[in-house]
Amino acid sequence: MTETNLVETNSETTFMGSAAQDKAEVDTTSSQLSNDKLIEMLKSMMQIRRFEERTMQSYMQQKIGGFCHIYIGQEAVAVGSIGATKPDDPIVGAYRDHGLALARGMDPKYAMAEMFGKITGCAKGKGGSMHFFDKEHHMYGGHAIVGGQCPLGAGLAFAIQYEKKDNVVLCYFGDGAVNQGAFHEAFNLASIWNLPVIFVLENNSYSMGTHINRGTAMANDLRAKAEAYGMRYAECDGLDVLDVYTTFKREIDRTRNAANPQWERGIIPDYKREGAPVGPCFMNVKTYRYKGHSMSDPQKYRAKEEVEAKQELDPINRLVNHLIDNNIATQDQIDEFDKAAKAEAQAAVKFANESPEMPIEELFTDIYVNPYGPYKKGGLPQMLQGKDLE
Amino acid sequence: MRNIQYREALREAMQEEMRTDDRIFLMGEEVAEYNGAYKVSQGMVEEFGARRIVDSPISETGFAGLGVGAAMYGLRPIIEFMSWSFCLVAADQIINNAPKMLYMSGGQFGCPAVFRGNNGAGGQLGSTHSWCVESMFSSVPGLKLAVPSTPRDAKGMLKAAIRDEDPVFYLESERMLGLGARGDKDFSRYLANGKWAPPSYEEDDNFVIEFGKADIKKPGADCTIVTAGRPVHFALDAAEELEKEGIDVEVIDVRTYRPLDIETIVNSVRKTNYCVVVDQSWPFASVASEIASQVYERCFDDLDNSIIRVNNDDVPAPYNRTMEQEMLPNARKIAEAVRSVTYNS
Ligand SMILES: Cc1ncc(C[n+]2csc(CCOP(=O)(O)OP(=O)(O)O)c2C)c(N)n1
């Protein structure tokens, strides 16, 4: 954590309607969205932004340990894409998972408590920042091995097809994952079996400090990766939540409708037919992260000006502008939403702080669903627990 | 006892379970149209269709991970590795994902998947195809490790594995698939003299062999041999040999390395006061090392001599037949070990 970041964390940035004026406009073709939906998405993005600021602060105060990857800058990706799902459409992602979980409806209290390692966390304090799980909200985890969740996304989609449900899986990963074998194997399986999964590339241009152009072949034409597997490809502006929403809505609908008639695997979809509504889709979402890769990243690999230029396109400010310009919300209302988001983040920290410490017996739970044999009393052989057999 | 082949036992176990539970599917390379590389799944695609018997491309990371995702959703995948030697390319999925999901999610998402396939050397396949995975995987918490040695066990343990809520690694052996066939070296021959444990064969669909319960394949008073899987047969051969010399060994088939029935082992060693541990993984940090260590911790005062381990030799498996056989644990090595610990050499 550098000094500059520390200052940023504590500074009180506000979302002003004028802040980004004359910079970039949100995609107005999407304005058929209801005003309620737009405001819901704004609140959700603000919730993530304020939550992440508190997360950084708590990390500096050493309340949070381990690796911690901040989502600031990418809020529109989670909010726009998840906003286009049904609540029981499974989502699965990488370690940069706070935003996904919150956008999906996880209570920020349980998210913060997880990072504080408390029993009240969304995974009982056993997962941490990189491993958020929430069964109730169909969040199948943050997964910290780069690319490792791609086959899981295909597996969830396989199960949906197997059970003849009409859900669609959103499987998220960063641009670093594109070069992993698991990514390619999952693409191939999803394609040959026409699985209802959207592979979502949160393309923030960097895998840690390596720019995508240095690490990925054909970085400027990722469509080729989809084409290689006969898969549908789409892209959208990840700094524009309305563009993300409409693009995902379109592609999710196509996937949902495509999978159904072809329950029986082995029917290879007709890729050549123009606009064929086949199941899986590779979605390239161009986004940007303002913060370092993780809390320990001093960001020597990119210029301050680059980050600042991207901040001009801030997805929250752009939506704020849109709402004000179109008389959907007033600056006062925006301020109120922001105040609520700040209060909620603060309450989450308080909850996490005040939650009881982990009972040490928890060390030995959740290893097996059905432990039996001599392992019954915990994960270790009784010998190692100091208990005698007789 | 029914004369059923080991491979038929595996097939029957899968068929019986699949008939009653639609969530179970079998996925792997060549399992459907080709009827299984080793014909374990012969005819299954005809019965269950392509929805449930799924030919996957050669992509272990992909289909092993797909199995984990499907299991998280609530299905019951049986993932076949053509050989366990190929599981290394899927290591991330089967070590990092399958066994840790329940813990990392604080109990929310389990992984009720079975990963099965051939394990170990013995067919002159060279070192890439002869790997014995048990020492590596038995150290992973969250996994269960089943190592069946007879057709009866193979069936009962596979049914138990499929019904299990946790990820199970089920280690078969290419060298045992034909076991039990008429004229073959059959486990039933050990019943010949009547005093060895008779493995009666239940026809009941609910016949399962619970994990964590060792089987005393031959009771004896003079020395305990602890083993599992294919080496059980070597140990029984050795027992036959030693009986002629008046040494009455007890052969314990632990059946599952995880959970490990240390209680049965300990009780036996307390009775015989001598112990030999046999397993077909490499000797350094092997399963035998772990079992020996646990026995020392519990039975130090009961032991009348050191414990001897009989493992594969500490070499990659050679192609040459003579060398390969020499590398494996065998009846001669086990008998020598027993003679040596019981001061009868
Ligand atoms: C298999 C594997 N190798 C290396 C790492 C270490 N690592 C963690 S995150 C990361 C960068 C990944 O970047 P990207 O996929 O672009 O995601 P982003 O952080 O940009 O969201 C690396 C190399 C890992 N977690 N897993």
Side-chain angles (χ1 to χ4, degrees):
Chain A
M1 204 62 234
T2 59
E3 271 306 298
T4 34
N5 281 344
L6 182 71
V7 174
E8 257 173 21
T9 313
N10 297 330
S11 72
E12 289 283 291
T13 51
T14 46
F15 300 115
M16 296 290 291
S18 56
Q21 222 129 50
D22 305 325
K23 295 290 169 5
E25 284 299 313
V26 286
D27 180 2
T28 43
T29 57
S30 328
S31 50
Q32 67 266 30
L33 275 173
S34 77
N35 293 352
D36 286 352
K37 184 79 187 175
L38 293 174
I39 285 177
E40 183 199 312
M41 292 203 294
L42 176 70
K43 285 178 170 175
S44 182
M45 286 199 289
M46 281 177 160
Q47 179 195 53
I48 297 171
R49 178 73 55 96
R50 295 311 186 198
F51 178 90
E52 289 294 60
E53 286 169 1
R54 286 288 169 196
T55 299
M56 292 171 74
Q57 192 183 45
S58 304
Y59 191 90
M60 317 278 260
Q61 294 166 348
Q62 301 188 347
K63 295 278 186 185
I64 296 175
F67 294 141
C68 186
H69 308 85
I70 297 298
Y71 202 63
I72 291 179
Q74 301 187 196
E75 295 93 342
V77 187
V79 171
S81 60
I82 292 171
T85 60
K86 292 201 297 186
D88 62 344
D89 285 336
I91 62 169
V92 60
Y95 47 83
R96 199 179 296 282
D97 56 356
H98 310 168
L100 297 178
L102 295 183
R104 199 6 112 72
M106 183 190 287
D107 190 322
K109 291 202 302 258
Y110 306 141
M112 190 61 80
E114 184 60 31
M115 293 191 277
F116 277 50
K118 297 293 180 76
I119 185 86
T120 49
C122 62
K124 287 196 197 163
K126 290 175 173 178
S129 160
M130 302 190 288
H131 309 110
F132 279 9
F133 290 84
D134 186 352
K135 192 167 194 172
E136 193 191 328
H137 291 100
H138 304 270
M139 157 84 178
Y140 283 78
H143 298 271
I145 301 298
V146 172
Q149 75 278 26
C150 295
L152 300 186
L156 292 166
F158 179 92
I160 284 165
Q161 190 182 60
Y162 190 95
E163 300 278 26
K164 302 187 196 291
K165 299 242 172 74
D166 75 339
N167 291 105
V168 174
V169 179
L170 296 193
C171 176
Y172 296 84
F173 44 86
D175 44 277
V178 170
N179 307 316
Q180 280 280 3
F183 165 96
H184 292 274
E185 295 190 21
F187 267 41
N188 187 54
L189 295 178
S191 185
I192 57 171
W193 294 330
N194 197 29
L195 301 179
V197 54
I198 300 198
F199 292 107
V200 186
L201 169 56
E202 294 198 62
N203 190 351
N204 60 20
S205 296
Y206 290 96
S207 41
M208 290 182 73
T210 303
H211 193 273
I212 185 168
N213 290 339
R214 290 204 297 130
T216 301
M218 303 282 288
N220 292 322
D221 188 12
L222 294 177
R223 176 187 297 272
K225 313 258 181 211
E227 277 175 354
Y229 297 103
M231 197 184 288
R232 204 163 80 244
Y233 173 88
E235 48 183 54
C236 58
D237 177 0
L239 297 173
D240 177 351
V241 70
L242 302 189
D243 190 38
V244 176
Y245 177 89
T246 37
T247 312
F248 271 82
K249 190 91 187 86
R250 186 186 74 217
E251 297 306 329
I252 288 172
D253 286 348
R254 291 174 86 180
T255 293
R256 220 188 287 287
N257 298 331
N260 297 354
Q262 297 170 331
W263 293 123
E264 205 56 46
R265 266 181 302 285
I267 301 175
I268 306 293
D270 180 6
Y271 301 119
K272 292 285 176 271
R273 193 151 46 86
E274 190 60 34
V278 293
C281 174
F282 177 30
M283 181 82 85
N284 179 6
V285 190
K286 303 232 175 76
T287 182
Y288 201 76
R289 62 167 160 78
Y290 299 166
K291 304 294 167 188
H293 163 72
S294 72
M295 287 294 289
S296 61
D297 173 13
Q299 306 189 56
K300 296 246 165 65
Y301 49 86
R302 63 182 184 185
K304 227 171 137 228
E305 294 72 35
E306 179 185 312
V307 183
E308 280 164 8
K310 289 289 182 182
Q311 276 170 331
E312 304 274 271
L313 304 171
D314 187 274
I316 300 184
N317 276 333
R318 284 164 79 183
L319 183 57
V320 165
N321 284 338
H322 178 76
L323 295 183
I324 290 180
D325 292 351
N326 292 285
N327 296 320
I328 298 169
T330 63
Q331 182 67 51
D332 282 352
Q333 281 174 308
I334 306 276
D335 291 345
E336 280 305 310
F337 299 154
D338 192 29
K339 230 167 96 183
K342 280 180 181 162
E344 191 183 30
Q346 206 161 355
V349 172
K350 187 163 185 286
F351 172 82
N353 232 343
E354 290 171 0
S355 288
E357 282 304 324
M358 178 80 89
I360 197 66
E361 308 83 72
E362 275 295 329
L363 182 59
F364 294 107
T365 65
D366 304 322
I367 297 164
Y368 295 101
V369 175
N370 295 135
Y372 45 85
Y375 282 68
K376 224 167 260 162
K377 296 213 177 74
L380 287 177
Q382 289 170 31
M383 178 65 216
L384 303 183
Q385 294 179 42
K387 294 180 187 120
D388 205 74
L389 283 171
E390 283 84 8
Chain B
M1 181 181 148
R2 252 173 87 212
N3 198 6
I4 180 179
Q5 264 188 43
Y6 191 97
R7 74 155 57 74
E8 289 166 346
L10 298 171
R11 188 184 312 142
E12 278 187 10
M14 292 192 285
Q15 286 169 326
E16 286 176 13
E17 294 304 302
M18 286 184 75
R19 280 172 199 144
T20 60
D21 187 346
D22 183 65
R23 298 171 303 168
I24 304 166
F25 67 93
L26 171 68
M27 174 177 282
E29 292 153 12
E30 312 292 357
V31 296
E33 316 241 317
Y34 192 80
N35 282 312
Y38 294 95
K39 304 302 166 216
V40 171
S41 53
Q42 186 142 34
M44 285 178 70
V45 72
E46 276 87 61
E47 178 175 358
F48 299 105
R51 170 170 168 264
R52 301 183 67 194
I53 309 295
V54 187
D55 273 333
S56 80
I58 307 163
S59 51
E60 282 79 3
T61 303
F63 69 75
L66 184 148
V68 179
M72 288 174 77
Y73 191 83
L75 299 189
R76 321 279 301 196
I78 304 172
I79 303 295
E80 177 175 311
F81 288 121
M82 199 179 276
S83 158
W84 270 102
S85 294
F86 311 149
C87 78
L88 277 177
V89 297
D92 175 48
Q93 297 298 336
I94 61 178
I95 300 179
N96 256 329
N97 276 345
K100 297 175 182 170
M101 216 56 87
L102 186 70
Y103 200 77
M104 286 201 309
S105 68
Q108 295 179 86
F109 293 101
C111 178
V114 178
F115 299 90
R116 45 162 287 270
N118 290 307
N119 175 54
Q124 275 196 280
L125 300 174
S127 46
T128 54
H129 284 52
S130 305
W131 188 42
C132 222
V133 302
E134 45 261 60
S135 58
M136 186 176 200
F137 294 121
S138 58
S139 86
V140 182
L143 289 181
K144 289 173 179 169
L145 221 77
V147 197
S149 65
T150 69
R152 176 179 181 269
D153 284 5
K155 182 167 177 183
M157 288 165 67
L158 186 51
K159 284 167 74 84
I162 294 168
R163 294 182 189 189
D164 205 289
E165 292 297 330
D166 295 304
V168 177
F169 281 20
Y170 187 93
L171 311 184
E172 297 150 20
S173 162
E174 184 210 335
R175 307 307 298 166
M176 290 200 295
L177 289 173
L179 194 76
R182 204 169 302 281
D184 230 333
K185 219 167 116 181
D186 186 335
F187 181 68
S188 58
R189 76 197 172 86
Y190 298 114
L191 304 174
N193 65 10
K195 76 178 190 190
W196 294 355
S200 75
Y201 195 87
E202 295 87 343
E203 286 290 338
D204 177 5
D205 271 5
N206 271 319
F207 161 64
V208 291
I209 292 176
E210 201 188 325
F211 282 8
K213 290 223 160 60
D215 186 34
I216 300 178
K217 287 279 192 281
K218 175 197 171 301
D222 298 338
C223 177
T224 302
I225 302 177
V226 183
T227 185
R230 191 170 170 230
V232 167
H233 300 276
F234 305 143
L236 289 167
D237 286 346
E240 227 168 31
E241 216 34 59
L242 292 160
E243 195 155 64
K244 292 179 199 145
E245 302 162 24
I247 306 174
D248 180 21
V249 298
E250 178 148 305
V251 177
I252 297 182
D253 177 356
V254 296
R255 283 177 166 161
T256 51
Y257 283 138
R258 240 181 207 268
L260 177 67
D261 184 359
I262 189 71
E263 191 167 356
T264 298
I265 301 169
V266 162
N267 290 340
S268 172
V269 174
R270 288 191 174 151
K271 178 179 76 178
T272 64
N273 309 112
Y274 297 101
C275 184
V276 168
V277 192
V278 185
D279 101 78
Q280 52 178 349
S281 56
W282 284 311
F284 196 99
S286 65
V287 176
S289 313
E290 172 62 25
I291 293 175
S293 163
Q294 290 199 32
V295 173
Y296 275 124
E297 282 163 336
R298 309 199 61 83
C299 303
F300 189 73
D301 292 337
D302 304 292
L303 284 165
D304 286 342
N305 200 350
S306 301
I307 300 171
I308 294 189
R309 290 168 292 157
V310 180
N311 284 91
N312 271 8
D313 289 337
D314 198 14
V315 296
Y319 165 73
N320 175 278
R321 173 134 195 90
T322 315
M323 285 164 71
E324 185 191 49
Q325 292 308 308
E326 185 48 37
M327 173 202 77
L328 294 167
N330 57 32
R332 171 180 52 78
K333 291 184 193 176
I334 297 169
E336 273 165 19
V338 170
R339 286 186 203 107
S340 137
V341 291
T342 56
Y343 307 99
N344 274 299
S345 48

